[in-house]
Amino acid sequence: MAELDYKERFLIEKLFDMPTGYVMDFSNNTFQSFIYDSIKVNIYDDKYFYASGSKANRLRAFFTEEPSYKVGQLLTALLDYWHTKAIANENGFDFERDKNIYTECLKIAKRLKEEKIVEEIEVIKEKENDKDFSLLAKSIRESIDKNEPEAALDRLHTYVMKYIRQLCENHTIEIKKDESLNAIFGKYVKFIVSHDKIESKMTERILKYSIHVIEAFNDIRNNKSFAHDNPILNYSESVLIFNNVTNSIKFIESVEKTLKQENKKEETESADWEDLPF
């Protein structure tokens, strides 16, 4: 459900002329086509039926049923439509009269779109000198930007596999080509624990439990994603998986940053020692 307070709903409804039961000058067909073209949603799906089923009520139902980010996307598209009509002086659209409301609605749309469904999606990064890895990361982020996490579960699994394999190679952790994701992740966890990079027993237990979580990710990839001809996992659970995985990657990045700093310090001290005149 989108986080819209009374004032925000009032301004949106005022600008789009929703108290009439309509939404601007859309007909049923143009309303359906516009929303589908904008965000690939059928506004005449039963889930958006509310009271009379008018265009205004269907838009209100959309605000209630969908997350903030998705509502922000549609609101942005509708505001662009309103602005285009207003500057063209179309009948019923008055830019000078309503420009302050329009400006406030733009702020609302921007705020809604900033409420990301995956908080740490920035950890899914492109990588210099690795075109395949970069395309993979870009594709995953594009699915999240479109609010389609369920469509990217197979690629997220592939990304994590490549990411953990690279870490193991960096630390000369022996892995086999056919080992599963949870197996290589387990080896990496064992490495950072044995090198005293984890300060608390609780963190150690969380990481070790994460090995079992990653093992379950193998099943999701094989049986609930587009990796094969599968029924796809639902939206809410897909968001949960994305947030769990990206939070784990963020923590691993903090560990890797510490390791790099320590290695750099050791190299500097070693170079200083070798420079001594004896």
Side-chain angles (χ1 to χ4, degrees):
M1 177 177 179
E3 297 296 327
L4 289 167
D5 62 26
Y6 170 79
K7 175 187 173 182
E8 291 173 329
R9 285 180 178 271
F10 174 81
L11 292 174
I12 292 168
E13 296 212 3
K14 177 78 172 176
L15 187 67
F16 295 160
D17 201 26
M18 291 171 61
T20 64
Y22 292 91
V23 176
M24 294 183 274
D25 61 350
F26 286 111
S27 67
N28 289 343
N29 287 337
T30 58
F31 188 55
Q32 182 178 33
S33 297
F34 180 86
I35 293 178
Y36 187 81
D37 290 344
S38 298
I39 58 170
K40 298 297 183 286
V41 164
N42 178 15
I43 197 65
Y44 285 96
D45 189 286
D46 288 343
K47 70 183 289 189
Y48 304 121
F49 181 86
Y50 175 70
S52 67
S54 67
K55 288 182 284 295
N57 275 337
R58 286 190 175 275
L59 189 55
R60 292 181 185 116
F62 182 87
F63 292 163
T64 300
E65 293 292 328
E66 300 299 341
S68 294
Y69 183 84
K70 199 167 186 177
V71 171
Q73 286 183 308
L74 178 57
L75 184 55
T76 298
L78 289 169
L79 287 168
D80 184 62
Y81 178 88
W82 181 91
H83 182 259
T84 301
K85 292 277 186 169
I87 61 175
N89 294 316
E90 287 286 299
N91 184 39
F93 296 84
D94 191 326
F95 185 77
E96 289 302 318
R97 181 192 66 197
D98 294 329
K99 64 181 179 181
N100 290 335
I101 299 177
Y102 167 73
T103 299
E104 288 301 310
C105 287
L106 283 177
K107 293 176 183 177
I108 296 167
K110 181 181 178 182
R111 177 185 65 76
L112 291 172
K113 289 194 293 183
E114 287 174 349
E115 295 181 19
K116 300 175 183 176
I117 60 171
V118 179
E119 290 298 324
E120 306 297 342
I121 190 61
E122 289 80 10
V123 301
I124 306 297
K125 301 174 183 175
E126 297 178 32
K127 189 174 180 181
E128 291 184 14
N129 304 320
D130 192 329
K131 183 179 179 181
D132 291 343
F133 199 86
S134 295
L135 287 173
L136 184 61
K138 182 180 179 182
S139 176
I140 292 169
R141 290 201 309 271
E142 285 176 349
S143 288
I144 296 302
D145 287 343
K146 294 176 182 177
N147 201 39
E148 298 175 347
E150 62 273 50
L153 288 172
D154 57 326
R155 284 166 285 150
L156 180 64
H157 185 281
T158 303
Y159 181 94
V160 177
M161 175 70 86
K162 289 173 72 68
Y163 177 74
I164 300 298
R165 277 187 173 277
Q166 186 61 60
L167 292 180
C168 288
E169 291 176 13
N170 293 346
H171 298 298
T172 62
I173 301 170
E174 186 177 347
I175 57 175
K176 297 177 183 177
K177 187 176 182 180
D178 59 348
E179 282 188 286
S180 64
L181 174 56
N182 55 294
I184 62 174
F185 183 70
K187 289 184 176 182
Y188 175 78
V189 170
K190 184 177 180 180
F191 169 81
I192 59 176
V193 169
S194 66
H195 283 71
D196 298 323
K197 303 308 173 190
I198 305 301
E199 295 182 5
S200 70
K201 281 290 181 183
M202 183 174 181
T203 302
E204 182 179 336
R205 288 179 180 177
I206 290 172
L207 285 171
K208 288 182 177 178
Y209 185 75
S210 294
I211 298 170
H212 299 293
V213 174
I214 291 294
E215 183 177 14
F217 196 12
N218 292 328
D219 177 67
I220 293 295
R221 185 263 179 194
N222 291 328
N223 300 304
K224 290 287 187 178
S225 81
F226 284 128
H228 303 291
D229 183 15
N230 296 317
I232 304 304
L233 188 67
N234 65 71
Y235 173 87
S236 296
E237 290 184 48
S238 298
V239 170
L240 176 65
I241 289 171
F242 254 92
N243 278 304
N244 183 280
V245 170
T246 53
N247 273 309
S248 295
I249 292 175
K250 184 178 181 180
F251 175 75
I252 290 171
E253 285 194 340
S254 70
V255 172
E256 287 296 310
K257 183 178 180 180
T258 300
L259 287 168
K260 287 179 181 178
Q261 290 173 343
E262 291 176 353
N263 289 338
K264 187 175 181 179
K265 183 179 179 181
E266 289 176 2
E267 290 172 1
T268 301
E269 290 175 349
S270 176
D272 291 344
W273 181 260
E274 291 174 359
D275 288 340
L276 290 176
F278 63 82

